[in-house]
Amino acid sequence: MQWLDEIKWDAAGLVPVIAQEKGSNDVLMFAWMNREALALTAERGQAVYFSRSRHKLWHKGEESGHFQVVHEIRLDCDNDVVLLQVTQQGHEPGIACHTGRHSCFFSRLENGGWTPVEPVLKDPGSIYK
Amino acid sequence: MQWLDEIKWDAAGLVPVIAQEKGSNDVLMFAWMNREALALTAERGQAVYFSRSRHKLWHKGEESGHFQVVHEIRLDCDNDVVLLQVTQQGHEPGIACHTGRHSCFFSRLENGGWTPVEPVLKDPGSIYK
C-alpha cells in the first residue's frame, strides 16, 4: 500500500505514534508502530501498536479492555511521526495509562522534581488480572 | 540535576518531545531533546530541541522568530517521553511547522492516501530568509 511506503520508518522499521483524545484533545499516550501495526490500525479502526519491550504487536486493550477507536490518522511534515485521534474505551473518563490514569503524561515538572498531578481512576490491579 | 537523571534517555542520549498548544490542546510538532536541550528549555522557559539532522541544539524560532513559550513540562509513565505545553509565538494563529502551517500534522489519511488538510498561513519563503 502506497501510503505506508510514504512513511519514513526508522532503522528498526518503526514510527513514533501520538494518541490524542478526540474532543478534549488530551495527549493520552505515545507508542510505536511497525508497518503491520499501522496497516491493522487503519483496517480495524482500532489502535494496534508494536511493543518494543515484548517485540510483538500489541492490540491496545487486548488485556485491559481499554481499546482505542481511531477516528483519524495524521502524518507530520517529515513523514516520520503519526498522530491518532482516538476515543479511549472501557471506562469513563477514558483510561489510557497502565497506571489507571487518563493520560500517561501525568507527571509535571515542579520545583525541580516530577510530581504526579493526575488521579488514578481505577486500580491497575483490577484492570490487569 | 536529579529530574534530568530520572529520564530514560535513549541510546543516542535523546528523548522524544511532543509540543502541544496551551488552550487549543493542538499537537503542534514532535522533536527530540538531549539533556542540555531539556535543561535549557526548563531554564529559559522556551523550547530548545536537538536537531538530529544538523546534530546540534536548535532553539526553536532562532531563524523564524516563531519561539515557543513553555508553560509546562510533563513526563510519561515510562519516563521516556516529554510533553510540553507551549504558546507558539510570532504569528496569529501560531505557526509551528516549517511549511508555514499551524501544526506539522497537516496530512490526513483519506481514501488510502495522505491529504493536506490544513492551510499554509504564511509563505515559508518569507519566514526563512
Side-chain angles (χ1 to χ4, degrees), chain A residues 57-99:
Chain A
L57 290 182
W58 158 41
H59 184 187
K60 173 77 180 166
E62 62 193 3
E63 286 186 60
S64 62
H66 297 171
F67 298 98
Q68 290 177 341
V69 173
V70 175
H71 302 283
E72 199 174 277
I73 302 177
R74 291 206 179 201
L75 186 62
D76 79 332
C77 53
D78 292 328
N79 289 14
D80 62 1
V81 185
V82 167
L83 175 67
L84 304 179
Q85 282 271 344
V86 306
T87 297
Q88 180 65 59
Q89 296 195 310
H91 190 274
E92 184 55 44
I95 296 175
C97 186
H98 76 286
T99 65

Side-chain angles (χ1 to χ4, degrees), chain A residues 10 14-19 27-34 37 47-52 58 60 68 80-84 96 104-105, chain B residues 16 18 30 32 76 78 80-81:
Chain A
D10 73 7
L14 303 176
V15 70
V17 180
I18 302 160
V27 174
L28 298 177
M29 56 177 281
F30 172 94
W32 298 81
M33 289 186 183
N34 63 4
V48 178
Y49 299 102
F50 182 83
S51 167
R52 294 186 304 168
W58 158 41
K60 173 77 180 166
Q68 290 177 341
D80 62 1
V81 185
V82 167
L83 175 67
L84 304 179
C104 293
F105 295 91
Chain B
I18 302 160
F30 172 94
W32 298 81
D76 80 333
D78 292 328
D80 62 2
V81 185

Side-chain angles (χ1 to χ4, degrees), chain B residues 31-120:
Chain B
W32 298 81
M33 288 186 184
N34 62 4
R35 189 181 167 98
E36 188 185 358
L38 184 50
L40 284 171
T41 296
E43 188 186 313
R44 297 181 183 176
Q46 284 196 344
V48 178
Y49 300 102
F50 182 81
S51 167
R52 294 187 304 169
S53 54
R54 288 175 288 157
H55 218 79
K56 61 171 193 171
L57 291 182
W58 158 41
H59 183 187
K60 173 77 178 167
E62 62 193 2
E63 285 185 60
S64 62
H66 298 170
F67 298 99
Q68 290 178 340
V69 173
V70 175
H71 302 283
E72 199 173 277
I73 301 176
R74 291 206 179 201
L75 187 62
D76 80 333
C77 52
D78 292 328
N79 289 14
D80 62 2
V81 185
V82 168
L83 175 67
L84 304 179
Q85 282 272 345
V86 307
T87 297
Q88 180 65 59
Q89 297 195 307
H91 191 273
E92 186 55 42
I95 295 174
C97 186
H98 75 287
T99 65
R101 292 180 175 88
H102 177 56
S103 161
C104 293
F105 295 90
F106 59 80
S107 290
R108 187 161 64 195
L109 185 61
E110 288 180 355
N111 306 314
W114 298 107
T115 306
V117 293
E118 288 198 21
V120 173

